[in-house]
Structures are given as structure tokens and as C-alpha cells.
Amino acid sequence: MMADDRTDLIGLSRDELVRELATIGERPFRAKQLWHWIYHRGETDFERMTTLTKPLRTRLAGIFRVGRPEVASEQTSADRSRKWLVRFADGNEAETVFIPEEDRGALCMSSQVGCTLTCTFCHTGTQRLVRNLDAGEIVGQMMLARDSYGEWPSPAGERLLSNIVMMGMGEPLLNFDNVAKALRIIMDGEGIAISKRRITLSTSGVVPVIARCGDELGVNLAVSLHAPTDALRDVLVPINRKYPIAELLAACRAYPGANNARRITFEYVMLKGVNDSLADARELVRLVRGLPAKFNLIPFNPWPGAIYQCSTPGAMKRFAALLNDAGYSAPIRVPRGRDIMAACGQLKSASEHRRGSRAKDHQPLQRSQRATTSVEPSITS
Ligand code: SAH
Ligand code: SF4
């Protein structure tokens, strides 16, 4: 089969789309029409873009395409969560998960293939193969989820795919430019049109980029805190050695747009006997004092070779109660999609699974050795 060398329009910003069309002598209003077909209607076939003249449709189809990443597999959980293993043009894979609620749902998207960070409780952090996803590959995850549920054209009112969380594979703030470009496409009011208020970006604490997230995108911020002291966070979330808790919380205090109506979410994975004591909870309260904060307690989701266990239900309840009594919302997240390994922190591409998760890869010593060589803010793609 011949390789398709046509330019994929998915992932181009509006300005770039205008420029692409200018190169073939088309005026800017054509870009507006195309944008509507691609992102409002979900159309992939130029022939069906009936507001364009016939000759133009044919011309466009010769030069451009409106692509989708390949779905290597799709699994639906007993609880109706759905997970796609998405394969990109170069054969690399990442995972996307949809978590349905009563009348809406959140799409959990990946920002990288794997992750260069090595949080010791996270399956993605054990994946060796890492590269940034480009904007088209990030938007592509949304497009194929919409295809899967047939949610085209973009509904004006209630939607199944109503929210986005950047909580899949990868650290979004280590791939900020591509993530920002993708989210701007997704937020565009004439296309997919998901409001910034319905988008949450989760970071393990890449402090220098946090402000850009608020300034340039205005989305909700979630921070993977997971430990109340630097000594423990250095182990659980090794990027803490570079950006310790005090710096992280200072960035949160300065986060543009955070207020009591739009609180910063602190994610906290519940690890038995590691970070789940009442003293830990008290220390957390002290740390976030004065911040518009809420907590999200995530029961640890096990994966093969993991060295942690989930806290007991009693320990989690007591922990949550202490935070509640101090005035903070702290729901214990019900794990979704555990049966299809789609829950938080379980994502790892199937090709990596096939390569084998030998137990020695998960020893703390080896992981911390890797951390010292791989915790770098820039990643070559
Ligand atoms: N890299 C980003 C976003 C992806 S992870 C970040 O770390 O914030 C999304 C959330 O799942 C993070 O809070 C992460 O710490 C948490 N997580 C990772 N592994 C987990 C596991 N095994 N069980 C429960 N939560 C986990
Ligand atoms: Fe990367 Fe987030 Fe997993 Fe840490 S928790 S290894 S930052 S994906």
C-alpha cells in the first residue's frame, strides 16, 4: 500500500488552516466552512462537505485528509467505562478512557506515549518508550471517542462527552505547547466547543509551567500531591526533588483564575501504611491553608508488579473525614474500569505489556536510579 502523504488537517490551528488553504488559492471563509465540517459535524469525507463546490471537494481530497488515529483495541468495562488503545502513524500507542456518569462523562486523554517521570505507584511511569504526542494526536483521541459514541454534530445542550481530563498517560506540562494547541482546538466555539470550565489538566508538579496553564488556557488545575512532606514526596513523585512542595504550593497560590468557586484539586493516591495516617491528613490541612483547595482521594489501583497496596476503607474514610472537618471537600473516588485496567495509573500501552513487565523493572532501587537520569523538563519527540 502506498503511504498517504496528504496533509492531515486534524491538529492544525485555525490560523494554520487558513494558511494551508491560502497555499492553494482559497480564501479564509473556506477555512471557516471546513472547520465546521471537521470539528462540528465530525465529517472525514470531503465529498460529503456539501457547502463546498464539487470541484473544490475533489481538489481538497487530493491534497488533504481528515484523519483519525487507528484504534488498536477498544474495551468496555462492566461499569460502562470504555478504553481505547490508540495507535499513531509511527506505531506508537497511548490510551484514552471514557468515564460515563449519569448524564455526562469525562474523557481522560493522554498527552504522551508513556511518561518520563517515574512516580513509584504509577504503571505508566514504568514504560520505557516515551515521546510527546503532537496536537493532532491529542485532538484525535477526542475525535475517535466522539466517533465511537456517534456524538456528531457537536450537541448544543446535553452531551455524553461533556468533560475532558488530561489524566491519561504522560505529564501534560512537559508537552505544554502541543497540549495547549490541542485544547484550543477542542475549546473553539465553532467546533467541538468544550468550555475551559469543563477541562481539567493534571500535573505532577512541573512548577515553571503551571502559570501558563492558567494564563493561556484558563482550564482547571489538578495537582498530584500524594504526600504531605518532601521526604515522602521525593520517593512517590520524584519530580519533587526538583520542585519541592513549597514551590509547588506557591505556584498554586498564584494560579490565575483560582478562587473559591474554582478550586484547585489536590489528588492524593491512598497507599496503605505509606501516606494514609491521620497525622498525614493534618499536615495536608496545614499545607493548603489559605488556598482555594479541594481534595480528590484516589484509592490506589494495583497493577502487576506494583510495590504498594491500597489503604483500607476505614483508613480512607478517617482520612477523608479529617479533611472534611477542616472544611475541605475530599471525595474518595470510586475506581472505574478496573476490570479493563483503565483506572487511574494503570495505563500502559499493550506493546509495552507484551514486551514484558519483569518484576525487576519495578524494584524501588532501579526506579530511583532511572528517576535521576530521566527527570528533565524537556523531552525530545
Ligand atoms: N501525569 C499527570 C497526569 C496523569 S496521572 C499527573 O501525574 O498528574 C492521573 C492521576 O492518577 C494522577 O494524580 C496520578 O498520580 C494518579 N495515579 C497514578 N498511578 C495511580 C495508581 N496506580 N492508582 C491511583 N492513582 C494513580
Ligand atoms: Fe507520569 Fe503522572 Fe504517572 Fe507520575 S503519575 S509517572 S507524572 S503519568
Side-chain angles (χ1 to χ4, degrees):
M1 217 171 74
M2 290 247 301
D4 189 344
D5 55 5
R6 294 174 302 168
T7 303
D8 194 343
L9 296 180
I10 298 288
L12 298 187
S13 69
R14 273 180 97 116
D15 288 348
E16 286 170 344
L17 186 60
V18 168
R19 283 201 292 274
E20 277 295 339
L21 291 179
T23 63
I24 60 162
E26 291 298 331
R27 307 227 310 275
F29 81 96
R30 292 291 183 203
K32 192 177 164 75
Q33 287 179 314
L34 259 174
W35 191 271
H36 177 87
W37 282 108
I38 297 171
Y39 292 115
H40 179 73
R41 319 267 306 213
E43 188 53 69
T44 54
D45 181 353
F46 290 104
E47 270 315 305
R48 285 202 287 264
M49 300 187 182
T50 47
T51 54
L52 309 176
T53 63
K54 264 253 169 218
L56 177 59
R57 288 182 231 167
T58 311
R59 252 179 94 214
L60 289 174
I63 309 167
F64 302 115
R65 66 199 171 95
V66 181
R68 294 288 192 264
E70 182 190 337
V71 177
S73 73
E74 179 184 290
Q75 287 171 279
T76 304
S77 157
D79 68 17
R80 296 187 304 124
S81 336
R82 189 170 289 179
K83 178 173 90 171
W84 298 268
L85 179 66
V86 181
R87 189 173 297 143
F88 303 107
D90 66 354
N92 271 309
E93 295 166 344
E95 291 182 329
T96 310
V97 175
F98 178 65
I99 307 140
E101 307 280 347
E102 234 352 66
D103 51 355
R104 56 198 204 124
L107 188 68
C108 178
M109 303 205 302
S110 291
S111 55
Q112 300 180 311
V113 170
C115 186
T116 50
L117 304 183
T118 50
C119 304
T120 42
F121 51 84
C122 174
H123 204 196
T124 308
T126 67
Q127 181 163 332
R128 273 155 290 186
L129 209 66
V130 181
R131 77 161 170 85
N132 283 334
L133 296 183
D134 67 27
E137 292 167 332
I138 298 169
V139 174
Q141 298 171 58
M142 178 80 205
M143 304 303 275
L144 65 83
R146 276 266 182 95
D147 290 349
S148 171
Y149 287 99
E151 198 165 55
W152 299 113
S154 296
E158 291 207 341
R159 300 168 173 201
L160 189 61
L161 280 102
S162 59
N163 291 56
I164 289 181
V165 291
M166 294 303 300
M167 293 186 185
M169 295 166 71
E171 168 47 57
L173 295 193
L174 289 181
N175 184 19
F176 184 76
D177 290 340
N178 288 318
V179 167
K181 189 176 177 194
L183 291 180
R184 273 192 215 102
I185 292 170
I186 287 171
M187 292 190 284
D188 186 292
E190 291 177 16
I192 300 171
I194 294 187
S195 140
K196 62 185 181 184
R197 302 196 172 269
R198 292 178 177 270
I199 299 177
T200 301
L201 191 149
S202 173
T203 180
S204 58
V206 185
V207 168
V209 194
I210 287 179
R212 289 186 68 191
C213 193
D215 280 332
E216 297 174 29
L217 299 171
V219 297
N220 303 309
L221 182 69
V223 172
S224 294
L225 192 55
H226 304 317
T229 61
D230 282 322
L232 180 57
R233 196 164 189 271
D234 281 351
V235 176
L236 298 181
V237 187
I239 198 176
N240 193 68
R241 295 176 208 159
K242 194 161 193 170
Y243 307 116
I245 292 176
E247 288 179 28
L248 176 58
L249 293 181
C252 292
R253 284 178 210 283
Y255 190 69
N259 54 46
N260 282 336
R262 273 190 102 194
R263 290 167 188 269
I264 293 174
T265 303
F266 289 96
E267 296 159 281
Y268 199 91
V269 61
M270 301 299 301
L271 304 172
K272 187 178 188 174
V274 174
N275 66 353
D276 62 353
S277 73
L278 288 180
D280 292 326
R282 271 190 289 273
E283 187 57 20
L284 275 185
V285 169
R286 201 188 62 77
L287 281 179
V288 303
R289 193 161 290 148
L291 256 168
K294 60 183 177 187
F295 290 92
N296 209 340
L297 304 181
I298 316 173
F300 171 64
N301 287 305
W303 37 270
I307 55 171
Y308 299 104
Q309 285 176 295
C310 184
S311 305
T312 63
M316 293 196 279
K317 275 198 201 114
R318 287 188 291 276
F319 199 94
L322 193 145
L323 296 176
N324 291 153
D325 289 347
Y328 297 99
S329 149
I332 302 167
R333 285 288 157 219
V334 181
R336 303 289 302 269
R338 268 191 178 174
D339 54 338
I340 55 169
M341 290 282 284
C344 281
Q346 290 183 323
L347 305 183
K348 187 171 173 179
S349 72
S351 52
E352 285 278 338
H353 281 301
R354 282 194 296 273
R355 227 161 280 152
S357 305
R358 285 165 302 160
K360 78 173 176 62
D361 291 345
H362 306 307
Q363 294 304 314
L365 178 64
Q366 172 153 356
R367 296 182 53 77
S368 56
Q369 284 169 341
R370 289 176 49 211
T372 53
T373 55
S374 64
V375 181
E376 289 301 327
S378 62
I379 292 168
T380 47
S381 51

